[in-house]
Amino acid sequence: CWVCLVWGGDMCHPMVIYNYQRIPQDIVNSLPPNWGIGHSESGWLKSEVFYEFIANIFYPFVVEKEIKFNIILFVDGHKSHLTYQLSELCTSLNIILIALYPNSTRILQPADVAAFQPLKSGWKKGVFEWRKDNNLSTAVTKKDFSPILKKVIDETVKAETLINGFKACGSDSLSCLQALSSNIFKSH
């Protein structure tokens, strides 16, 4: 599952990635509205899937939220985030793509504190509640994954939590991102 946090405290609709050549219709039908669905041989994020996420999920989300362009999208430098095709797409959409340096986890830490840690805890609770409601011995299937995750996101990821995650990680994370942002806009 691929998620993206937006500076103002919003979380973009996720994209769920499956390791199918052709995704079964019951899984497609179980996806919440506006969520993306992707596939790769391994079930991991590939450059083509990330491109589809930016074009079909992230960009429409940013437009819907009326976020002023140009915008900066910080990515972690994974090779799936750094293709010529993606760079061209982002340029055409007024998205400035910035790959963070290797070993820059101190900048990325707010995402762990603000979103991913609560999601991990919420996921355990969400699965427990789902099993209680459905049948304790029933395993969570790929069809069940997205509806459970939607409920967990709705209950655990709040704008104030995302914003406070940056604050909790200290001024270094927030100041660093703000400085990068202002320097980039000065040059454009």
Side-chain angles (χ1 to χ4, degrees):
C1 182
W2 172 257
V3 296
C4 184
L5 309 178
V6 179
W7 187 262
D10 288 318
M11 185 170 143
C12 180
H13 308 295
M15 175 179 259
V16 182
I17 305 165
Y18 293 99
N19 61 341
Y20 288 111
Q21 285 294 324
R22 189 171 179 176
I23 301 171
Q25 193 61 45
D26 63 334
I27 291 176
V28 173
N29 293 342
S30 73
L31 219 63
N34 299 319
W35 283 33
I37 191 164
H39 64 89
S40 69
E41 192 173 297
S42 64
W44 291 96
L45 183 66
K46 301 286 187 186
S47 57
E48 300 84 9
V49 176
F50 188 62
Y51 182 98
E52 293 300 319
F53 172 77
I54 297 301
N56 300 319
I57 305 299
F58 180 73
Y59 180 74
F61 175 81
V62 170
V63 170
E64 173 190 316
K65 292 291 183 177
E66 300 179 349
I67 296 172
K68 185 179 171 189
F69 287 88
N70 289 340
I71 63 168
I72 299 174
L73 177 60
F74 292 100
V75 295
D76 65 6
H78 188 271
K79 67 182 180 178
S80 65
H81 302 147
L82 305 173
T83 65
Y84 178 75
Q85 293 83 3
L86 181 66
S87 179
E88 288 290 308
L89 173 68
C90 287
T91 299
S92 72
L93 299 176
N94 293 316
I95 298 171
I96 301 168
L97 189 63
I98 303 293
L100 296 172
Y101 292 109
N103 303 315
S104 61
T105 55
R106 64 185 172 78
I107 296 171
L108 297 174
Q109 186 181 8
D112 285 334
V113 170
F116 303 128
Q117 200 60 359
L119 274 176
K120 287 177 191 176
S121 300
W123 177 254
K124 290 176 186 175
K125 180 181 173 194
V127 169
F128 176 79
E129 289 174 1
W130 180 87
R131 282 194 172 137
K132 190 172 69 173
D133 293 343
N134 289 282
N135 181 351
L136 288 175
S137 63
T138 303
V140 173
T141 66
K142 292 178 181 178
K143 183 182 107 208
D144 304 317
F145 176 80
S146 295
I148 296 170
L149 182 60
K150 167 88 169 98
K151 184 176 180 190
V152 169
I153 288 172
D154 290 347
E155 292 175 358
T156 61
V157 179
K158 306 290 183 208
E160 60 273 6
T161 306
L162 297 177
I163 292 167
N164 288 336
F166 281 92
K167 292 176 183 174
C169 289
S171 59
D172 288 346
S173 299
L174 190 57
S175 298
C176 184
L177 289 174
Q178 287 172 332
L180 279 170
S181 300
S182 63
N183 286 333
I184 290 164
F185 283 121
K186 283 180 192 173
S187 66
H188 278 82

